[in-house]
Amino acid sequence: MAEEKMTANVPADAPEEGRVFVIESNRRDEIIKLVLLIILIIIFPPAAVAVHANECNLHVFVSLILVFFFMIPSYIHAIWYCFFRKPTQMTIA
């Protein structure tokens, strides 16, 4: 289960009917990002790759080339990049 944090916007001695609770949940944000990526993969795979990467990198360029020439491999590349690719580790020498 996701951890949810509840905070009250009024003092603790206020009556029950006047309390307002705000639920902060990282799980909700993850689900929204997942749905956004799926919709972008369906509509335009390079956009999904760019959103997932948070930058315009080589994979966005590869995805653009695949869209223009081969549509099915573009979907495969976007799904791989967004859901199956392991992030690269940076080593500082």
Side-chain angles (χ1 to χ4, degrees), residues 5-20:
K5 180 181 174 186
M6 294 178 56
T7 58
N9 292 339
V10 294
D13 58 348
E16 285 291 323
E17 63 193 42
R19 290 188 180 196
V20 177

Side-chain angles (χ1 to χ4, degrees), residues 67-83:
V67 163
F68 291 131
F69 295 110
F70 316 102
M71 198 62 185
I72 302 286
S74 174
Y75 286 117
I76 294 170
H77 177 260
I79 291 169
W80 168 78
Y81 187 83
C82 293
F83 299 116

Side-chain angles (χ1 to χ4, degrees), residues 43-65:
I43 295 172
F44 190 59
V49 172
V51 166
H52 185 74
N54 289 331
E55 64 181 355
C56 186
N57 59 14
L58 178 67
H59 289 283
V60 176
F61 180 72
V62 168
S63 189
L64 277 171
I65 297 298

